[in-house]
Amino acid sequence: MSSETKSIPYLAVVLLLIWLGFVYQPGISMQSFIQELFVGIIVAVAVTILTHRHFEGLGVAYFHPRRVAYFIAFFFVFLWEMVKANLNMARIVLSPELPIKPGIVKVSTSLKQPAAKLFLGNAITLTPGTLTIDYDDGGAYIHWVEVKDEDMGRAGEIIKGRFERLLRGVFS
Amino acid sequence: MIESIIAWVMALLAFIAAVYAVEAKDLLSSAISVGIASLVVSILFLMLHAPDVAITEASIGAGLTMAIFVYSIGRTERWEK
Amino acid sequence: MRRMAGIVLAALLFACIMYAFTFVKTYDYNSSDYYYTDPIEGGKVNETVTGHYIENTKNETGAINAVTAIVVEYRGFDTLGEVTVLFTASTGVSMLLYSLHQRRKRREANLILKEGSKIVLPFILLTGAYIFIHGHLTPGGGFPGGSVIASGFLLMMVAYPKYFLKESRVSITESVAGMIFVLIGMLGLVFASYFLENFLSLGDVGRLFSAGIIPIIYIAIGFKVGAELSGIMNNLKGVEE
Amino acid sequence: MIFMYIIMGILAISIFLGAYRLLKGPSASDRAVALDALTNITTALLVLIAYLSERFIYLDVALVYAILAFVGVIAIARYLEGGL
Amino acid sequence: MIEDILHYIGMAFVFVGSLFFLLGTIGLIRMPDLYNRMQASTKTTTLGVLSFLVGVGLMELQWMIKLLIIALFVVLTAPVGASALARASYNAGIKLWEKSVVDKYKEREEK
Amino acid sequence: MIWAIYFAIASLLAIGIYGVITKKNLMKIFISISIMETGVNLMLIAIGYIPGGTAPIENGDFTTYVDPLPQALVLTAIVIGVSVLALALVMVINYYEKNKTLEYRRLMKW
Amino acid sequence: MVIHPVLLIAIPLLFAFLMPLLKRAKAVTIIILLFNTLLAILMFHNVYNNGPLYEIIAFSPPIGIYLYVDNIAALLAVMINLLAFINFLSVEKVEIKFAMLYLLAVASSTGIVITGDIFNMFVFFEIAAVSSYALVAWKRDKEALEGAIKYMVLGSIASVLMLVGIAFLYSEFRSLNIYDIMNRMDEGSVLILLSFAFLLTGIGVEAEIFPLNGWVPDAYQGAAGSIASLLSFGPSKAGIYAIARLLMIFSWQQSYDLALSVGIMTLLIGELAAFRQENVKRMLAYSSIGQMGLILISLSMLDSTDYAIIAFFFLLVSHAASKGALFLLSERKGFGSNASKYAGIVSVMSLIGMPPMAGFWGKWYIIMGAMQMEAWWIIAAIVFSSVVEAAYFARYLSTTMQEEEHASIIAAYPPAIMATLTLLLGILPFIYKIATIGGVING
C-alpha cells in the first residue's frame, strides 16, 4: 500500500469536513445535523470514488501531525508574506512615477511532487509582485515586478523565501 | 437607499457591458462582456431577493455560457469583419 | 439604413418598456384586487396565488424554500418541460456535431492548471451535490447544482486536451434521471390522484429528510442537468475516438 | 450606516475602474484580467448584500460564484494559447 | 461587549478589503502591460476578498465558517486562473513591456 | 432602486434588439439574443419584487416575502435560454464549416 | 373510465428519454404514436359526450397547472397525433435521435393545445421550437442549416417577446391560469394592451402570420419532406390555436380587427409570393402562409358570426391533412405511382377549395360568415386568393404529373391516407357536427 493509496481516505475526510461547513447554519438542531452528517458521508465517499484517480501521482500524502504542523506554519508564513507584498504593491501603485522593473526570471526548485510544485506556484502567484507563468523540468518561470536579481539561485532565494522549506516538510 | 447605489452602479455596468458586447469587433471580448453582464445581473437578482435565480445565473453565466461561446469561437473565427 | 432601423427600433422598445413600467403597480399579496377565480369550480376565492404559496408551502409540500416548492411541486409540469428542452437541445447538439469530429493538435496546459484543476474538482462536485441536495432548505436546487457539476467536468475538459467523458455514461445518466422524473410523476397518478402529486410523507419541516418527493426529483434533475450540460460540452469539444 | 456608504463608494469606484479597463484594454487578455478583478469584487459584493439583507442563506450564491468564477477565465486562457 | 469589539475589528477588515479592491483596480489602470496589470489586480483583489470575508465574518460571528470556506475556495482558484491566463497570453504573443529587464521564458526550449 | 433595475432591463432588451437587427455576424446575433434573454429574466424578477420583502425561504422571523412565482419561472427561462444558446452556436459552427464565413445575409430577407 | 390527458405528453416524454437505452427506435415510436392516437380518440369521444375534461397536475389551478381539453382541443390532439403517426410511417431510415426529436415535437404540439396555463404553453412552445430547429437542420446541408438558423433567430426573439408579454400579463393579474385571466379581464389597461402585442408577436412567429414569417420558406425548403409535413400540421397548427385562445382572452373588438387585417395581409402576400416560386417546397411553404392567413380571418370573425367556428374547424383540419400529404410528396420529383397521383390531386383540390373536399367547406363557411357580416372585401380577397392558388397549383400539377419517379410503397401510401382523410372529412358531416354542437374555443 503506497502512501498515495493511503491518502485517499483523507480526501473523503476533508470533503466531509467541508460538507459540515456547508451545512452548518445558525441554530441548526442536533437531529438535522445527524441527518446532514449521514448524507455528508455518502456524498463525500461518492465524490472520492469519482475523483480519487486524479489524485494518484499527485503526491498528496497522508496526514501526519508533523505535516499538518508544517502546513499550518506554511499557511501563516504565506499569509504574512501576502500582506507584506500587498503593502509593497500598494506603494508601487500609488507612487506617481511607478517604480517598477519587470521581467521574467527562472527559479529552480528542488520539490518533486506535482502537488508541492502546485502549492509553491500558487503561493508565489498569490504574493503580489510575483506571478508563476510556467513550470518546466528545470524550474519555474516567474514574472517579477521588481527584478532584484537575474541569477537563478539568488532570485529563487528572494522569491521562494521560506515557502520551499516548509513545503518540503509538508510533502516529504 | 444603500441598495439603490449598488443598483445604479450595477445597472450602468450592465449597460456598458451590453453595449460593448454588441459593438466590439473581437468576438472573444464580446463573450467576456456577456460574462460581465451576467455577473452583474446575478448581483441584481440577489438584490431583488431571488437567491435561487442568482445562484442559477451565477453557475451558468460564470462558466458554462462563457465556455460555450469560447468553444464555438474556437471552432469558427474570432474577428467580426 | 439598417443601422438607423436598429437604433429606431431599439429606442422604441426602450421607450415602450420604460413607459410600461410606470404602470406596474406594487404588488400586495393580501389585497383583494388580486383574488383569483377558481377555473374548475368557478367563483372568486378569497386569497391570491402568491398569498397561497406563502401561507401554505410548508404544510402542503414540506419545503421551506417556496421557490423550490413551486418549481418541483406546484408547477412541476413546467419543470418537466424545461428538462425536456434541455434534453432536446443536447440531442440536437450531438446530432449536429456528429459529422464534425475533428482531430486537432491541442497545446498542453501548464502544471499549475493541470494539478490545480485536479485539486479543485472534488470541491466543485461537493458544492454541486450540496446545492442540489439542499434545494428545499436553501437557495439552489437541481438546475444550479447540475450546472455546477457540469462546470466541474468542463474544467477538466478545458485543462486536459485528452479528457473526455464517456458518451454512453452521459446518455445513460440522462435517460435514467429523466425516467425517474416521469415515473415519479406517474406514481403520483397511481398512489395519489394527480400527476406529480406528492405521495410520500412530508416529514419534519426543515430537516434534510423532508418534503416528500421534492428532494428526490431535485436530485434526479441535478443528475440530468449535469449530464446534459456536460454532454453538450463534450460534444462541443469534439469527441476523439 | 455611513460606514456602508463609504464601502459602497469605494467599491463603486473600483468597479468603474475595472469597467474602464474592460472597454480600453488593448487585447482580449486585458479584458479577461478585468473580468477576473470584477469577479473578485462581485464575490465581495454578494457577501455584502447578504450581510445587508441579514440572511445567512444568501451566502450560497457567493459560494458558488467563488468556486466557479475562474472556469470562464481558464476557458478564455486555453483558447488564447490554442489548447481548447 | 466582546462582540462589539469584534464588530469594530470586522469593520476595519472590511474597510481594508475594499481599499485593496481600489488599489487593485488602480493598478489595473496604471500599469503599463498585461503582466504587471495582472500582478496588481488579481492578487491584490484576492487579498481584498479574503479581508472582506473575514471582516464580515467578524461582524456576524455565526457566518464565519461558511465565509472561511468561501475564502478557501477563492484562495484555491484565483492563482490557477491567473497563472493560466498569464501563460496563455505569453503564448498568444502578447509582449512584455518594452522596459522589462529580462525575459528568461523566451529562451526556454519549446517542447 | 427599482428604477435602476427597470433601466437595466430596458437597456438590455433594447441593446439586444439593436444587435439582432444591425449585425450580420451570426455569433453577434446570438450574443445579442442572449443579452435580451438576460434582460427579460431580470424583468420577470423585477415584477415579482415587493419593497421590503425578503426571499421566500421561511427560516427566521420575516413578515413580508417577495413573490416566489416569477422566480420559479425565471429558473425555467434561464435553463431554456442556455440550452437554446448551445444549440444555436452548434448550428453556427455547422454553418461555418459549410460556408467558411459567419456572415449571414438572409436574415432580413422576407 | 377515467382518461388522463397528461399521458398524451408524459408517455412520449418518458420514451423519448429512454430511447437511447431502448435502441429499437422505429418500432417504439410507432407504438407510442399509435397509443397516443388511440388515447386522443378516446379522449375526444369522452369530451364529445360529456363535455370538457380537466386534468389537474399536482395542485388545483391556478395554484398548480391543469390541462383543459374541450372539443376543439381534443380534435386537434387527435389530428396532430394521427397525422404524426401516418407521417412517421413514411420515414424509411429512422435514427434514434430523429425518433426522439420527432416524439418531442409531437408531444409538445399536443401540449400547447391542451394546456390551461400560459407559462406552461410557453414551455411547450420552446420544446416544439427547439425540436423543430434540430429537425429542420437534420439534413445538415447548406440549405437546411440556413433555414434552421433563420428559424432559430426569429424563434429565439419570439420566445423573448413572449416572456415579456407574460411578464406584463402577470404584473396585471398575478396569475398565470388562462381561465382565471380571462375571467378577470376587463377593459384593457396599457399593460394589458402591451402584453397582447408582445404575446401576439411571439406566438405569431410560430403560427406563421404575416410580418413574422420570414423563416417559413427557408425552413420548409431546407427540411426533409416528412419534417416539413410535421411542421405544417404540428407546431404551426398548435400556434394558430394558441392565437385563437389569445383572441379569446383579449376579446375586444380591436384585437379582432387587428387579427382580420393581419390575416388578410398574410393571405394575399402568401399566395402572391407562392405564385412567383419555382422551388416546389418554397411554393408550398408560401401557400401554407396563405392558408394561415385564411385561418386567421376565420378566427377574426369569431365574435360576429357563428359560421366562423365551423370554418375554423374545416380549414384547420383540411389544411393540416392536405399540406402534410403535399409536403410528403414534394420529396420526389414527380408523383409516380397511382396512389401518389391520387394523393396529390385530392390534396390540391382541397387546398384550392373544390366542392367535395374539406377545404371547400372551410372557404364556403368563411364566405357565408362574411356575407352575414356584409364584409364584401373579405369575400373578394378570398376569391382572388383562390384564383391565384388555382393558377399556381395547376402549374404544379402539370409539371409533377409528367415526371415519373418510382417510389416505394412505404413512401407512397402515407400521403394517400392523408388525402383520404381530407376527402372523408369533406364528405362526412362529422366536423360540421362537432363544430355546431360543441364548437366553443375556451380559454
Side-chain angles (χ1 to χ4, degrees), chain G residues 297-437:
Chain G
I297 292 173
S298 78
L299 283 179
S300 72
M301 303 193 301
L302 275 178
D303 219 19
S304 335
T305 159
D306 290 340
Y307 290 115
I309 189 82
I310 309 174
F312 176 66
F313 270 81
F314 270 112
L315 284 173
L316 205 65
V317 177
S318 73
H319 179 236
S322 49
K323 213 26 120 3
L326 283 183
F327 271 119
L328 275 184
L329 289 175
S330 73
E331 205 45 0
R332 307 194 293 275
K333 267 218 208 72
F335 282 159
S337 67
N338 281 333
S340 304
K341 280 196 181 102
Y342 157 75
I345 292 170
V346 168
S347 306
V348 164
M349 274 165 74
S350 169
L351 282 178
I352 300 171
M354 293 292 191
M357 313 292 171
F360 164 74
W361 297 110
K363 286 187 178 171
W364 172 256
Y365 284 113
I366 286 195
I367 291 175
M368 295 282 280
M371 274 161 78
Q372 203 179 41
M373 287 165 67
E374 298 182 346
W376 304 107
W377 50 290
I378 299 180
I379 301 176
I382 291 172
V383 170
F384 173 70
S385 72
S386 298
V387 172
V388 178
E389 236 171 6
Y392 67 75
F393 272 123
R395 197 181 61 200
Y396 167 71
L397 284 181
S398 69
T399 54
T400 42
M401 283 298 210
Q402 287 161 7
E403 288 187 52
E404 294 279 318
E405 189 176 344
H406 184 72
S408 63
I409 293 178
I410 298 178
Y413 277 96
I417 302 172
M418 287 187 194
T420 315
L421 271 179
T422 330
L423 195 61
L424 286 180
L425 288 173
I427 295 168
L428 302 178
F430 178 66
I431 298 273
Y432 182 79
K433 247 176 152 175
I434 304 167
T436 44
I437 292 173

Side-chain angles (χ1 to χ4, degrees), chain A residues 15 18-19 22-23 25 29 31-32 35-36 38-39 43 47 50-51 54-55 58 114 117-118 121-122 132-135, chain C residues 110-113 115-116 118-119 121-123 125-127 129-130 133-134 137-138 153 156 163 204 206-210:
Chain A
L15 288 177
I18 289 191
W19 173 270
F22 278 160
V23 301
Q25 284 196 3
S29 72
Q31 193 141 16
S32 11
Q35 291 181 354
E36 301 280 6
F38 180 66
V39 174
V43 172
V47 172
L50 210 62
T51 58
H54 299 310
F55 279 75
L58 201 59
K117 284 184 180 174
L118 170 70
N122 278 0
T132 319
I133 291 183
D134 201 356
Y135 267 102
Chain C
N110 66 358
L111 181 134
I112 291 194
L113 179 52
E115 310 303 335
K118 276 181 184 169
I119 298 252
L121 179 66
F123 296 108
L125 295 185
L126 190 77
T127 314
Y130 164 70
I133 289 174
H134 286 244
L137 302 176
T138 60
F153 290 120
M156 292 305 277
Y163 186 92
D204 280 347
R207 299 267 162 77
L208 186 58
F209 297 130
S210 66

Side-chain angles (χ1 to χ4, degrees), chain E residues 15-82:
Chain E
F15 184 69
V16 170
S18 49
L19 275 189
F20 274 124
F21 285 140
L22 191 60
L23 277 177
T25 40
I26 289 175
L28 191 64
I29 299 296
R30 285 199 66 197
M31 286 293 191
D33 77 337
L34 175 80
Y35 305 96
N36 289 314
R37 271 176 215 139
M38 226 163 190
Q39 297 275 16
S41 78
T42 15
K43 271 70 66 54
T44 317
T45 49
T46 306
L47 187 69
V49 176
L50 296 187
S51 166
F52 206 98
L53 294 177
V54 172
V56 174
L58 288 174
M59 286 157 88
E60 198 76 45
L61 281 175
Q62 298 259 313
W63 295 18
M64 198 59 167
I65 295 178
K66 197 164 257 185
L67 288 169
L68 283 181
I69 290 177
I70 297 175
L72 171 73
F73 284 174
V74 170
V75 172
L76 218 55
T77 58
V80 177

Side-chain angles (χ1 to χ4, degrees), chain G residues 60-197:
Chain G
S60 62
I63 308 299
I65 295 173
Y66 80 141
L67 302 178
Y68 176 81
V69 190
D70 53 12
N71 269 16
I72 186 159
L75 181 76
L76 266 169
V78 173
M79 183 194 89
I80 290 171
N81 283 297
L82 181 65
L83 290 178
F85 170 65
I86 299 169
N87 186 21
F88 193 77
L89 293 177
S90 77
V91 185
E92 282 167 40
K93 209 169 130 276
V94 181
E95 288 171 49
I96 291 176
K97 281 170 189 147
F98 181 88
M100 276 149 68
L101 292 171
Y102 193 92
L103 273 181
L104 291 172
V106 174
S108 56
S109 307
T110 320
I112 295 170
V113 172
I114 62 179
T115 184
D117 187 284
I118 194 145
F119 190 79
N120 199 239
M121 194 192 270
F122 165 79
V123 172
F124 280 125
F125 263 117
E126 283 300 304
I127 306 175
V130 173
S131 49
S132 316
Y133 305 149
L135 283 173
V136 169
W138 181 255
K139 283 198 294 188
R140 290 190 282 262
D141 57 7
K142 221 168 165 175
E143 270 184 351
L145 281 170
E146 283 186 355
I149 285 176
K150 195 163 180 176
Y151 188 9
M152 191 147 214
V153 173
L154 283 173
S156 311
I157 296 171
S159 80
V160 170
L161 294 182
M162 247 177 104
L163 263 185
V164 174
I166 290 174
F168 283 144
L169 203 61
Y170 182 77
S171 84
E172 195 66 22
F173 295 104
R174 302 290 168 172
S175 164
L176 290 168
N177 190 284
I178 292 177
Y179 182 86
D180 185 18
I181 291 172
M182 202 166 81
N183 259 12
R184 282 152 60 192
M185 177 81 68
D186 39 10
E187 270 317 295
S189 73
V190 177
L191 275 182
I192 301 181
L193 275 172
L194 275 175
S195 105
F196 176 67

